[in-house]
């Protein structure tokens, strides 16, 4: 029995190590190739270290402007998504209606729609309302595409906040809006962090939407401009591509670090309704 248990544990450890290696090897290639003067598709320790790849890409046209566009697009769309998700999830969490379930099922259906299936009508609509090739139009579509799943997440977190806390605030004269802002949202800090990080990451790596809705090269985000490193006839600047990937990943990592404490938090509200 003990030998069988040890064999199963060894098999599980080997499987986990294989999965970890599958994730670690691409990351190792990016980090090593970024400082390799002769980078290629092989994962290898550089013969010599160089910062020339970073110097080559740290220009307004290649890095600064696309990154700024990405921050404007994803930051604005994330703020809009989180705000609308909170406003939509609150009544779904607190008020019971026969329409709640059909509405939630409709939202669930909306999350399953592939983005490529709706881009043609969206493109035609944006042309008619003069939102094509505009940052604000792309922000609106980004927010609309992420909103269904954000509502689902936010509602589940709001369900964990005891209604007794709001009832006590209502007794003191607070309105529903005041209880949402001063009680529910502060107590759903981990939920807000999860929705923020999830929405931002999904938008940050989205290539297809800005590629379709934005036409001016000066407005392209970094997720689209990274395609410029793939030249004609299979020629790729691997070192510069890796260096750009490192810089491109930095905002997402910084966002996660900033909200890590909120992500690790929980709803320690068990004693808040006692006594």
């Amino acid at each position: 029995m003990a030998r069988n248990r040890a064999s199963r544990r060894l098999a599980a450890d080997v499987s986990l190590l294989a999965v970890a290696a599958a994730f670690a090897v691409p990351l190792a290639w990016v980090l090593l190739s970024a400082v390799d003067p002769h980078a290629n598709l092989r994962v290898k320790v550089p013969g010599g270290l160089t910062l020339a790849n970073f110097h080559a890409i740290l220009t307004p046209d290649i890095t600064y402007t696309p990154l700024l566009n990405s921050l404007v697009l994803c930051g604005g769309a994330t703020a809009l998504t989180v705000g609308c998700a909170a406003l939509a999830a609150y009544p779904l969490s607190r008020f019971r209606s026969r329409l709640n379930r059909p509405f939630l099922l409709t939202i669930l259906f909306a999350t399953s729609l592939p983005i490529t299936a709706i881009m043609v009508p969206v493109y035609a609509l944006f042309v008619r309302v003069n939102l094509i090739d505009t940052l604000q139009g792309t922000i609106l579509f980004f927010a609309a595409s992420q909103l269904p799943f954000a509502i689902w997440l936010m509602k589940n977190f709001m369900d964990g906040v005891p209604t007794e806390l709001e009832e006590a605030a209502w007794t003191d004269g607070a309105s529903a809006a005041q209880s949402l802002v001063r009680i529910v949202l502060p107590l759903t800090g981990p939920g807000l962090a999860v929705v923020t990080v999830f929405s931002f990451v999904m938008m940050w790596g989205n290539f297809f939407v800005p590629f379709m809705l934005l036409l001016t090269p000066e407005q392209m985000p970094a997720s689209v401009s990274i395609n410029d490193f793939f030249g004609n006839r299979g020629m790729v600047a691997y070192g510069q591509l890796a260096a750009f990937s490192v810089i491109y990943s930095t905002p997402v990592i910084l966002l996660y670090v900033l909200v890590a404490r909120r992500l690790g938090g929980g709803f320690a509200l068990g004693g808040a309704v006692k006594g």
Side-chain angles (χ1 to χ4, degrees):
M1 180 68 68
R3 181 176 298 177
N4 293 336
R5 184 177 302 172
S7 300
R8 290 195 296 268
R9 181 176 300 175
L10 178 61
D13 292 341
V14 171
S15 300
L16 291 175
L17 287 175
V19 173
F23 284 94
V25 170
L27 295 177
W29 179 87
V30 170
L31 295 176
L32 294 175
S33 298
V35 293
D36 189 351
H38 306 291
N40 52 37
L41 285 177
R42 295 180 55 189
V43 180
K44 58 184 177 67
V45 178
L49 301 181
T50 180
L51 296 178
N53 295 323
F54 289 94
H55 290 309
I57 66 168
L58 290 178
T59 63
D61 293 338
I62 298 177
T63 300
Y64 298 139
T65 300
L67 279 180
L68 179 60
N69 293 336
S70 292
L71 290 173
V72 172
L73 285 174
C74 300
T78 298
L80 186 60
T81 299
V82 173
C84 293
L87 294 176
Y90 180 71
L92 291 173
S93 175
R94 289 298 183 258
F95 304 106
R96 299 293 178 261
S97 171
R98 291 181 297 177
L99 299 178
N100 280 17
R101 181 176 175 81
F103 183 74
L104 289 173
L105 292 177
T106 302
I107 292 177
L108 182 62
F109 172 75
T111 61
S112 64
L113 291 175
I115 199 70
T116 54
I118 61 176
M119 279 309 299
V120 173
V122 166
Y123 185 88
L125 174 63
F126 273 39
V127 170
R128 287 182 174 272
V129 297
N130 295 324
L131 285 177
I132 199 70
D133 196 27
T134 62
L135 292 178
Q136 58 267 30
T138 308
I139 288 174
L140 289 175
F141 184 77
F142 262 148
S145 62
Q146 294 299 321
L147 191 57
F149 195 71
I151 293 175
W152 267 90
L153 287 177
M154 192 72 73
K155 178 186 178 300
N156 290 331
F157 280 103
M158 286 186 178
D159 288 343
V161 179
T163 57
E164 290 82 357
L165 298 177
E166 290 183 85
E167 292 172 353
W170 294 338
T171 302
D172 293 336
S175 64
Q178 289 174 327
S179 65
L180 171 64
V181 174
R182 298 182 180 180
I183 297 177
V184 178
L185 291 181
L187 293 177
T188 55
L192 290 172
V194 168
V195 174
T196 300
V197 172
F198 179 83
S199 300
F200 187 86
V201 170
M202 294 299 292
M203 299 172 191
W204 187 258
N206 194 304
F207 169 85
F208 188 67
V209 170
F211 180 75
M212 291 293 296
L213 299 182
L214 295 175
L215 307 177
T216 306
E218 290 75 14
Q219 298 191 57
M220 291 296 179
S223 60
V224 178
S225 66
I226 195 174
N227 188 56
D228 295 338
F229 291 99
F230 296 89
N232 296 326
R233 300 180 181 179
M235 299 298 295
V236 182
Y238 292 108
Q240 296 179 19
L241 175 61
F244 186 85
S245 298
V246 171
I247 296 176
Y248 178 58
S249 304
T250 302
V252 176
I253 297 174
L254 291 178
L255 176 63
Y256 177 78
V257 171
L258 289 175
V259 302
R261 290 185 299 176
R262 304 298 294 176
L263 285 172
F267 296 101
L269 303 176
V273 295
K274 294 182 180 180

